[in-house]
Amino acid sequence: MKKNKLFKFLSSVKLAIPLMFAMTVAVAWGTIVESRYNTDMARFTVYRTFWFQILLGLLWVNILFAALSRIPYKRHHTGFVITHIGLLTLLVGAMVTNIWGIDGQLQIVEKNQNGEVLLPDLVFTITNKDSGLKETYSIERRLKEAGYDSFKNINDLTADKVSILTYIPFAKVEKTFKGENSGSLQNVAVSFRMKSPFFDVNEWLHSQQNPEFQLGPAHLSLVIHKKGEEKKNDGPRKEEKRKPSSEGKPANGDSLEVLNGSGEVVQSIPLSQLKKGGVEVQSLKVTLVKYYEQAVVAEKNKLADGGQKGMNPALELSITDGGKSYREVIYAKYPDFSLNPKGFDGFKFRFRSSATPPSGMSIGAHGASEESEAAPGAPMAHSAPSGPMPNDSTHAGMASGAGPMGGAAMAGGNVIQFHIYEGTQDKAEVVLLKNNAEVLKQWVKPGEMVQTPWMGMQLTLNDLVFNGAETQEVKPTEQTLRTEMPPSAILLKPGGAPVDEALWLIEGDARTLMMNGKVIEVYYGRKSFKLPFEIYLDQFIKKDYPGTETPMSFESHVQVNKVGPLINIHMNEPLVKDSYTLYQASYIMRPGEPVSTILSVNWDPGRWIKYIGSIILIIGIITFTLMRSRMAQNWGAKA
């Protein structure tokens, strides 16, 4: 057998070296893809590809034949043989995991339970609702668009019911408005794009549905002008000022308050005193590192000062406790935030700023308290202000309850207005206001861009629609860096129907159709299986870096089968149940919808095989090293 040319080649170093090099490159590439994109992208581009499985198989064969080539074994072969057995066992474990292992996702809505795990593999099912007969077809996940011919084997079997016309690997659903170009001021819609070095957003304003929109520090509104009516350059509604109360505030302006374990203020340190040097608070020493007028989170989550006075005041402190120094950041608008939530020796700190009312509250036009709008870079406010708002037909942007964010902007800040005039249907007048003062006015047509004076932000008018009715369109998109993989989509044509009646199914969608008097349900999405238990989500908690919507941490408080104590699942703290391991993976938060957590579910039947292979490999390496040592050689010579 050793003289066989094929055996000699399969056991040779000539094959081993290129195989090891190819595996190294493949694994390195997979690691890069996973770090730049996500685990799914790495799985479908590297680890679950046909060529990667061939590489694994060839490597296993090479190691096996290399071990067999040493027969008959001698004593000095011991370390070599044990090492190769360890490698073979490791590869067998990896193959078992790849073939029979489970790596899916479990989505649970808060205050609900679920046990259905979605797997990476895609399926297309057709279910006859009358008979219960279900047809299931596997769909290969692709990274490029595909047409009818790519699904010919499925279409030949389902043509009397539905046919797959198009496949999109990455899809997005866009809200859009379609109407007639009549110039009527009923149901006017404006599509715009805001782009800066920090974001790129496309949105719509609609004169009835959402004439106002709050996007970070910018407040956008749609203003309608009918003929014969005087033009109004209304900014956001102004707030009535009231005399600041001295209750709970120091007499000498901004200060750092020291709170005991009961939340009572035991000491108030004026900011002016902090600026002069460190202050002793019993066993603590508090030193001011930096004062921010407008704290924003820049690149790599580092704090920077935006420069707008009173927008988001914050203190960066150094707290010395028992010889150790700790960094602390205190925000006037976010008093509950702390880098050290347990405090210092029983004390916590709070920043009182005369420029910012506590707890993110401001006083509205009618004296009622309301949530203040987000400072630049800070989380956006989501509750509607109390008190009535003007509701005249000439200023759609001031309609009561307007805007998906619910509420008007603060009296100052950045305001962007789109003015639409009756009889002028091919362009809009864009007006920019800052602190209620006009800074720019420009006529723009669809496709034209306005360069704003605000941190390089560009504003583009995408489209103007009159008598617009809302529709949803499925469009191709791209996989962006460090984001979840977008869903795929297929375009289905019901049997016997014209092409223009085809419908889209986004990954996870199901539709009910009437076909020849029969009710059928079509589903496209990930293959699923049921866990032997269900997980109940009692509460999902997400904490953001202050001034951003970037999560600092998130966790799920769950119960198994809705019984027993609450279990906290968070980063590096999974739940293990019946050989299944559940990790905190992601979440879904959408306005107007309950929050959902996404848990990664893993079942690895090859885990113990890989553990055993690792142990054997370590023993083999140690044996091989010892037997090649001088001591072992001297012992062998004496023997």
Side-chain angles (χ1 to χ4, degrees):
M1 184 172 64
K2 293 182 180 180
K3 295 181 179 181
N4 185 283
K5 290 183 178 180
L6 178 61
F7 180 88
K8 291 177 68 175
F9 174 73
L10 292 176
S11 62
S12 67
V13 176
K14 292 181 180 179
L15 176 61
I17 291 176
L19 276 178
M20 293 298 292
F21 178 77
M23 284 295 298
T24 302
V25 171
V27 172
W29 177 245
T31 303
I32 293 171
V33 171
E34 185 170 3
S35 63
R36 287 176 59 84
Y37 295 99
N38 51 60
T39 302
D40 283 339
M41 196 70 173
R43 182 186 293 119
F44 296 123
T45 56
V46 179
Y47 301 123
R48 296 194 66 179
T49 57
F50 181 68
W51 58 264
F52 189 79
Q53 305 308 314
I54 290 178
L55 278 180
L56 280 176
L58 282 175
L59 184 61
W60 192 88
V61 170
N62 178 252
I63 295 171
L64 174 64
F65 279 38
L68 295 176
S69 67
R70 296 296 192 272
I71 296 176
Y73 299 125
K74 298 180 180 179
R75 184 172 58 188
H76 65 273
H77 290 150
T78 305
F80 172 86
V81 173
I82 294 176
T83 301
H84 280 64
I85 292 174
L87 289 171
L88 291 171
T89 307
L90 266 175
L91 287 174
V92 168
M95 292 176 186
V96 169
T97 297
N98 192 48
I99 297 172
W100 292 289
I102 292 173
D103 190 6
Q105 291 185 338
L106 176 64
Q107 179 178 336
I108 316 169
V109 179
E110 197 171 58
K111 302 302 180 184
N112 287 271
Q113 63 183 18
N114 188 22
E116 186 173 5
V117 177
L118 298 179
L119 302 174
D121 303 310
L122 294 175
V123 293
F124 171 57
T125 65
I126 304 173
T127 305
N128 188 316
K129 303 298 286 186
D130 298 325
S131 65
L133 182 65
K134 182 176 181 179
E135 305 172 40
T136 302
Y137 304 94
S138 295
I139 301 287
E140 179 188 355
R141 188 181 290 274
R142 307 159 189 258
L143 298 178
K144 294 183 179 180
E145 293 188 24
Y148 179 90
D149 291 339
S150 299
F151 303 96
K152 192 174 185 304
N153 58 332
I154 297 177
N155 290 332
D156 288 345
L157 300 174
T158 64
D160 59 325
K161 306 178 188 72
V162 290
S163 299
I164 302 175
L165 302 182
T166 307
Y167 167 87
I168 296 178
F170 307 126
K172 63 178 179 179
V173 179
E174 284 189 354
K175 180 179 76 172
T176 185
F177 291 88
K178 293 185 177 180
E180 55 190 42
N181 197 19
S182 64
S184 169
L185 295 187
Q186 296 295 322
N187 296 315
V188 179
V190 171
S191 171
F192 63 91
R193 178 187 184 187
M194 292 178 65
K195 183 180 180 180
S196 81
F198 308 103
F199 58 83
D200 189 352
V201 179
N202 286 276
E203 281 293 345
W204 283 89
L205 289 171
H206 188 271
S207 58
Q208 301 298 322
Q209 295 184 20
N210 62 314
E212 286 186 288
F213 189 82
Q214 185 73 32
L215 187 62
H219 183 85
L220 298 100
S221 63
L222 175 59
V223 187
I224 306 299
H225 301 277
K226 294 182 179 179
K227 286 184 177 179
E229 293 178 337
E230 182 182 355
K231 174 185 171 184
K232 295 185 179 181
N233 237 3
D234 299 337
R237 61 187 178 138
K238 297 182 179 179
E239 299 171 347
E240 292 182 1
K241 295 183 179 179
R242 68 172 185 174
K243 294 181 180 180
S245 169
S246 60
E247 181 181 355
K249 289 191 176 184
N252 56 348
D254 297 354
S255 67
L256 178 69
E257 294 182 342
V258 183
L259 287 71
N260 61 17
S262 302
E264 299 172 343
V265 178
V266 296
Q267 187 175 346
S268 182
I269 307 170
L271 180 58
S272 57
Q273 182 180 348
L274 269 178
K275 289 182 177 180
K276 295 178 181 178
V279 176
E280 300 288 340
V281 180
Q282 293 193 17
S283 63
L284 307 176
K285 183 176 181 180
V286 182
T287 305
L288 178 65
V289 177
K290 189 171 182 180
Y291 168 68
Y292 298 90
E293 293 277 9
Q294 178 199 358
V296 295
V297 179
E299 294 182 4
K300 298 182 179 179
N301 291 318
K302 292 184 177 180
L303 279 180
D305 201 325
Q308 296 190 39
K309 186 174 181 180
M311 290 296 290
N312 191 23
L315 300 178
E316 184 173 356
L317 306 172
S318 174
I319 312 292
T320 303
D321 181 11
K324 294 183 178 180
S325 294
Y326 302 88
R327 179 174 178 259
E328 179 65 293
V329 179
I330 307 294
Y331 292 83
K333 285 190 174 183
Y334 309 101
D336 293 331
F337 173 83
S338 173
L339 295 178
N340 306 273
K342 294 183 179 180
F344 308 90
D345 198 21
F347 295 102
K348 294 186 178 182
F349 298 92
R350 181 171 64 195
F351 179 31
R352 287 286 194 179
S353 173
S354 57
T356 304
S359 302
M361 305 298 289
S362 62
I363 302 302
H366 298 273
S369 64
E370 56 184 277
E371 280 195 19
S372 65
E373 296 298 333
M380 293 179 288
H382 291 278
S383 62
S386 57
M389 298 172 63
N391 188 18
D392 61 73
S393 61
T394 63
H395 195 171
M398 294 292 105
S400 177
M405 298 304 168
M410 52 193 170
N414 305 329
V415 179
I416 301 173
Q417 296 177 340
F418 295 91
H419 292 263
I420 308 297
Y421 296 89
E422 189 172 8
T424 305
Q425 59 194 47
D426 63 337
K427 58 185 177 180
E429 186 181 36
V430 175
V431 178
L432 306 186
L433 306 173
K434 185 177 181 65
N435 298 326
N436 295 320
E438 186 178 288
V439 296
L440 187 145
K441 183 190 297 182
Q442 182 176 330
W443 285 94
V444 292
K445 294 183 178 181
E448 293 182 345
M449 183 267 291
V450 175
Q451 181 67 56
T452 75
W454 301 325
M455 299 178 68
M457 187 180 74
Q458 297 175 342
L459 177 68
T460 302
L461 179 64
N462 292 333
D463 198 9
L464 279 173
V465 178
F466 298 88
N467 283 334
E470 182 179 340
T471 61
Q472 290 188 334
E473 293 183 354
V474 175
K475 295 182 178 180
T477 186
E478 295 182 355
Q479 170 70 69
T480 55
L481 296 177
R482 297 177 182 86
T483 60
E484 296 291 329
M485 178 177 282
S488 58
I490 57 174
L491 182 63
L492 292 181
K493 185 182 79 68
V499 175
D500 57 4
E501 292 184 11
L503 53 96
W504 283 101
L505 281 185
I506 297 289
E507 195 174 309
D509 280 353
R511 293 285 187 90
T512 301
L513 307 173
M514 288 293 297
M515 301 291 300
N516 301 322
K518 296 180 181 179
V519 181
I520 66 168
E521 181 185 77
V522 291
Y523 165 80
Y524 171 68
R526 298 195 176 202
K527 188 178 179 180
S528 65
F529 86 99
K530 291 286 290 184
L531 288 169
F533 53 87
E534 290 195 335
I535 300 296
Y536 172 78
L537 177 61
D538 181 75
Q539 186 181 17
F540 179 81
I541 299 175
K542 172 176 172 276
K543 296 180 181 178
D544 294 334
Y545 287 101
T548 74
E549 292 184 342
T550 303
M552 183 169 61
S553 65
F554 49 91
E555 58 191 47
S556 300
H557 297 178
V558 304
Q559 287 177 300
V560 178
N561 294 326
K562 208 175 180 180
V563 295
L566 287 175
I567 303 169
N568 186 6
I569 303 177
H570 56 91
M571 189 65 67
N572 299 323
E573 288 293 335
L575 166 64
V576 179
K577 173 70 175 175
D578 296 345
S579 299
Y580 294 93
T581 306
L582 286 72
Y583 301 89
Q584 181 67 65
S586 186
Y587 58 89
I588 298 175
M589 281 185 173
R590 297 191 183 104
E593 297 181 11
V595 64
S596 297
T597 188
I598 297 178
L599 304 178
S600 176
V601 180
N602 179 267
W603 180 68
D604 188 356
R607 178 177 295 152
W608 286 104
I609 301 176
K610 288 180 282 189
Y611 287 165
I612 293 170
S614 299
I615 294 172
I616 296 173
L617 180 61
I618 292 171
I619 295 172
I621 293 173
I622 293 172
T623 304
F624 185 83
T625 303
L626 290 176
M627 294 195 71
R628 290 180 64 88
S629 66
R630 185 173 299 176
M631 182 179 66
Q633 292 176 1
N634 292 336
W635 178 76
K638 292 178 181 180

